[in-house]
């Protein structure tokens, strides 16, 4: 049988081509757009395949299978929104198509990552999460976290950093990035925890943390003071002053420390801290310096106001 076919192929190539394209006994006039799309897809002509699948949806009645074909072609071409929309339509008919949607979208996210397309990667993963909330792609956790951090979406970045950190808990770089993500969303307590871990694992890189640790300590001092925890607030301010960072926060840090010390009745220490305000103040801190000088006069001349001094 094989020999006969080969002889026919050599003698009548057009007849063989006709059989391959149209099928045994099929009339070319009966060919459907969906069938043409399948053949275009098989030869990796995805744009042509998509065009035929779309035509099929308009002119034929391809059923859910036709919708899925078009959705898959959109996914292969990297068109996330269109793929998601059609997969949603298919999943309404059969929930199993949601799994195919996730498979296609995750594959698309991986391709986007390989091509350096962070937005495409994130868009595809977000679409996959629409179909299967909680779906995890371990290899994309860190790239996604970095993408979200770079685009200011730190609330989305944080859980991804934690997942990446769980897979590589002794990686100083991931720990540092995790700390920054917590700092950017205002969770300075957690940020300082991770900064301490980073310093322990990479002591030679401690200078990279100084500004961030100082900024978070200043924020925590404010929070503790609002809660009435004066001693804790002072401890955090001491960290800011010891680091000398951020420099723009130093005048306010000295002033706040002085206020807290005065409230606790530590008048000599309060006077010293008020006095330091002028020594670290630059342009724009004139009002704060005058307030510090007024407070010094109040304490020295017996009118400490509401404070204990």
């Amino acid at each position: 049988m094989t020999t006969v076919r080969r002889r026919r192929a050599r003698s009548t190539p057009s007849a063989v081509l006709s059989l391959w394209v149209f099928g045994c006994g099929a009339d070319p006039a009966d060919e459907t757009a969906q069938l043409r799309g399948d053949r275009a897809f098989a030869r990796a002509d995805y744009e042509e395949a998509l065009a035929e699948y779309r035509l099929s949806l308009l002119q034929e009645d391809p059923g859910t299978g036709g919708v899925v074909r078009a959705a898959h072609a959109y996914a292969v071409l990297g068109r996330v929104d269109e793929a998601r929309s059609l997969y949603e339509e298919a999943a309404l008919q059969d929930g199993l198509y949601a799994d195919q949607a996730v498979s296609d979208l995750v594959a698309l996210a991986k391709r986007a990552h390989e091509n350096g397309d962070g937005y495409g990667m994130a868009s595809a993963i977000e679409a996959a999460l629409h179909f299967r909330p909680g779906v995890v792609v371990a290899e994309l956790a860190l790239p996604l976290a970095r993408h979200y951090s770079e685009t200011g979406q730190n609330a989305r970045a944080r859980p991804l950093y934690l997942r990446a950190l769980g897979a590589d808990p002794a990686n100083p770089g991931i720990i540092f990035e995790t700390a920054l993500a917590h700092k950017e969303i205002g969770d300075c307590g957690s940020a300082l925890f991770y900064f301490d871990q980073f310093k322990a694992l990479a002591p030679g890189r401690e200078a990279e943390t100084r500004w961030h640790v100082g900024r978070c300590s200043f924020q925590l001092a404010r929070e503790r003071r609002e809660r009435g925890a004066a001693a804790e607030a002072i401890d955090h301010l001491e960290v800011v002053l010891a680091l000398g960072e951020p420099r723009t926060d130093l005048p306010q840090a000295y002033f706040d420390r002085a206020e807290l010390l005065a409230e606790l009745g530590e008048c000599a220490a309060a006077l010293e801290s008020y006095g330091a305000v002028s020594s670290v103040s630059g342009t724009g801190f004139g009002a704060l310096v005058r307030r510090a000088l007024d407070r010094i006069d109040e304490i020295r001349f017996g009118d400490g106001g509401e404070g204990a001094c």
Side-chain angles (χ1 to χ4, degrees):
M1 180 68 73
T2 302
T3 303
V4 173
R5 286 181 177 169
R6 286 177 178 168
R7 286 176 181 169
R8 287 180 179 170
R10 286 194 293 268
S11 60
T12 57
S14 60
V16 175
L17 178 61
S18 179
L19 288 173
W20 181 76
V21 173
F22 301 116
C24 294
D27 184 346
D30 294 334
E31 186 181 35
T32 65
Q34 180 171 294
L35 183 57
R36 292 194 300 271
D38 289 345
R39 287 168 179 161
F41 198 96
R43 62 177 181 268
D45 190 347
Y46 303 123
E47 291 285 1
E48 178 65 21
L50 177 59
E52 295 291 356
Y53 291 147
R54 291 179 64 186
L55 184 62
S56 174
L57 292 176
L58 290 171
Q59 297 183 348
E60 302 167 2
D61 183 16
T64 306
V67 174
V68 170
R69 280 175 166 84
H72 181 60
Y74 275 124
V76 170
L77 290 169
R79 296 171 63 173
V80 174
D81 292 339
E82 294 93 334
R84 171 177 168 170
S85 178
L86 287 179
Y87 269 127
E88 282 181 337
E89 182 180 336
L92 289 175
Q93 303 302 317
D94 188 338
L96 290 177
Y97 286 121
D99 292 328
Q100 184 171 339
V102 171
S103 177
D104 270 359
L105 292 165
V106 167
L108 173 54
K110 291 178 180 179
R111 291 197 304 274
H113 171 53
E114 291 169 0
N115 294 330
D117 180 6
Y119 284 96
M121 172 184 62
S123 178
I125 287 296
E126 288 163 16
L129 287 168
H130 170 76
F131 291 98
R132 289 288 182 263
V135 66
V136 174
V137 186
E139 65 198 84
L140 295 183
L142 186 57
L144 274 171
R146 287 171 172 164
H147 168 76
Y148 286 134
S149 289
E150 290 166 4
T151 55
Q153 302 177 74
N154 290 286
R156 283 183 163 180
R158 178 173 66 167
L160 291 164
Y161 274 125
L162 293 175
R163 186 174 297 280
L165 191 58
D168 193 2
N171 186 313
I174 298 177
I175 293 172
F176 185 78
E177 292 176 62
T178 302
L180 289 179
H182 282 85
K183 170 184 168 291
E184 291 301 322
I185 63 172
D187 185 359
C188 273
S190 296
L192 291 181
F193 170 79
Y194 288 112
F195 280 130
D196 284 342
Q197 282 194 343
F198 173 76
K199 289 186 288 184
L201 288 169
R205 298 173 59 186
E206 183 176 352
E208 297 176 40
T209 71
R210 294 177 66 87
W211 190 94
H212 301 293
V213 170
R215 193 71 190 89
C216 260
S217 296
F218 185 76
Q219 179 176 321
L220 287 173
R222 287 274 175 97
E223 293 175 4
R224 298 299 186 271
R225 186 179 183 184
E226 289 175 1
R227 297 175 187 175
E232 289 183 35
I234 290 173
D235 288 342
H236 286 299
L237 290 171
E238 297 286 2
V239 173
V240 179
L241 300 176
L243 290 171
E245 294 287 356
R247 294 183 182 181
T248 53
D249 287 338
L250 294 181
Q252 191 66 56
Y254 272 114
F255 186 89
D256 290 350
R257 176 176 177 269
E259 294 280 88
L260 289 164
L261 289 168
E263 289 174 12
L264 295 175
E266 298 184 29
C267 302
L271 286 171
E272 181 182 356
S273 196
Y274 280 126
V277 173
S278 60
S279 66
V280 296
S281 294
T283 304
F285 289 94
L288 187 64
V289 170
R290 287 192 293 274
R291 286 178 62 198
L293 293 175
D294 288 345
R295 289 293 291 131
I296 289 173
D297 287 344
E298 290 169 1
I299 292 173
R300 283 179 173 171
F301 297 109
D303 184 14
E306 297 180 359
C309 291

